Each structure stands twice: as structure tokens, then as C-alpha cells.
Amino acid sequence: MASIRAGSQQALLVVDVQVGVMAECWDAARVIAQIATAVARARAAGVPVIWVAHADAELPQGSPAWQLVPELKPLAHERRIDKHFHSSFEQTELEQVLAEAGIAHIVLAGAASGWCIRATAYAALERGYDLTLLEDAHSTANLVLDDGSRIDAAQVMRELNIALHWLSYPGRRNAVAGAAEFAFGAA
């Protein structure tokens, strides 16, 4: 069983809201606006905001596509985590950063819903964190499979919202909430 994180201190984790990622995402402008709302509300409540950026062969670190979208600007004191795998925890300093800040509850937003958001959500729960997915502040691209069939991005997002609403882990809480409704800073 995972070590359950003591306390109720929150952090907003904004994952992969990068130019090259969001260019492919469904309803990106609306989702970016929802993430901006969440960031502003977290900052106003004194909740730390942690930014995660993915890099790989298709998204080279330092490239224009790798940059965060221009609508979202991290503050100088906010941490940035670079990652190379879908989960924001794999081979990164994220868990150490969260431990140093006493974080027990991750509020999650970003992209891509079916890949990095899903992997990060499950990794957080498996590591003993409480988790809230901001249901209107994540997105992904439509998937076209090798056989030509298609999975719509809206359905991937909906399925993840449903899954994270109904999942059950011992000693942990998981939920979904809207970016404008979530109670940042509340215990």
C-alpha cells in the first residue's frame, strides 16, 4: 500500500501546456483560459503552482514548440519540472518538490488527457496523494488509429473525468471539479 501523505496542503500541477502540445488539442483556447482561471485562483489562495514541461524527439527541449503557451506565465518563484515520460513523477524531482512543500493534495490541469494527465493522475494516487482533476482544464487531441477509426478528444476527456470521479484508493481522496468552482486552499 502507498504511504498516505499527511496533511491537506495543495499544489496546482499544470502539465504540458506547451505550444506544440496545445496546438493539437481539442478546444485549446477554452482549456487554456480555464487553466489561467485555476492559476489565478490558486495564486490568490496562496496555493503553489508547479509547471511541468515534456521534452522528447518530437518536442525538443528549448524549441518554440516546447515553450509554454504565451497566455500562461509562471512567476519567478514557481517551480518548473522537466520530464521525458508521460508521468510527471517518472525520473523527475516532482516528488521531492512536493515533499519539501508539504503537499498532500494535487490539483491537476493540462494536457494531454489520455496520456500525461492520465499517467500523472494515477501516479499521484499510487504514491499516496489526494487528487482533484480540474474537469474543464485539460484537453487532448483526437486519436486516429491505424485502422482509420477515430476516438474523439471530447470522449477521452469525458472518460477520464468519469474514471477519476469513481476511482477508489484506500486512504486517499480523488475527485473532479471545475476550475472556477474548486476551493483552492480549503482543507
Side-chain angles (χ1 to χ4, degrees):
M1 185 166 110
S3 297
I4 306 306
R5 308 297 166 159
S8 60
Q9 178 67 31
Q10 300 169 350
L12 173 59
L13 190 62
V14 180
V15 177
D16 300 353
V17 187
Q18 297 162 265
V19 172
V21 176
M22 296 308 293
E24 303 294 322
C25 285
W26 177 80
D27 208 9
R30 182 194 57 79
V31 171
I32 291 167
Q34 290 297 98
I35 294 169
T37 295
V39 169
R41 294 186 71 243
R43 288 173 177 161
V47 170
V49 179
I50 301 169
W51 303 85
V52 178
H54 188 85
D56 59 22
E58 295 175 10
L59 193 62
Q61 191 164 1
S63 70
W66 176 83
Q67 305 301 321
L68 294 175
V69 295
E71 298 89 341
L72 298 173
K73 300 284 185 211
L75 299 178
H77 70 277
E78 293 173 342
R79 295 296 299 263
R80 182 169 174 146
I81 307 289
D82 293 318
K83 70 178 181 66
H84 300 282
F85 299 97
H86 291 118
S87 170
S88 297
F89 289 92
E90 290 301 318
Q91 296 184 11
T92 72
E93 68 272 23
L94 178 58
E95 202 156 5
Q96 178 183 340
V97 168
L98 296 170
E100 289 169 359
I103 304 302
H105 184 168
I106 295 171
V107 182
L108 183 59
S113 304
W115 308 107
C116 299
I117 296 299
R118 183 182 305 273
T120 298
Y122 286 112
L125 289 164
E126 290 164 358
R127 286 170 171 80
Y129 294 94
D130 289 337
L131 177 84
T132 300
L133 175 64
L134 296 179
E135 64 188 347
D136 53 1
H138 67 96
S139 187
T140 195
N142 294 320
L143 297 174
V144 178
L145 305 177
D146 290 341
D147 65 3
S149 62
R150 175 183 159 124
I151 302 172
D152 289 330
Q155 292 304 315
V156 173
M157 295 157 48
R158 182 172 184 240
E159 184 276 330
L160 184 58
N161 288 340
I162 291 167
L164 287 175
H165 174 79
W166 290 105
L167 279 175
S168 176
Y169 283 79
R172 283 150 281 177
R173 294 174 299 159
N174 52 278
V176 296
E181 292 79 35
F182 180 73
F184 282 99

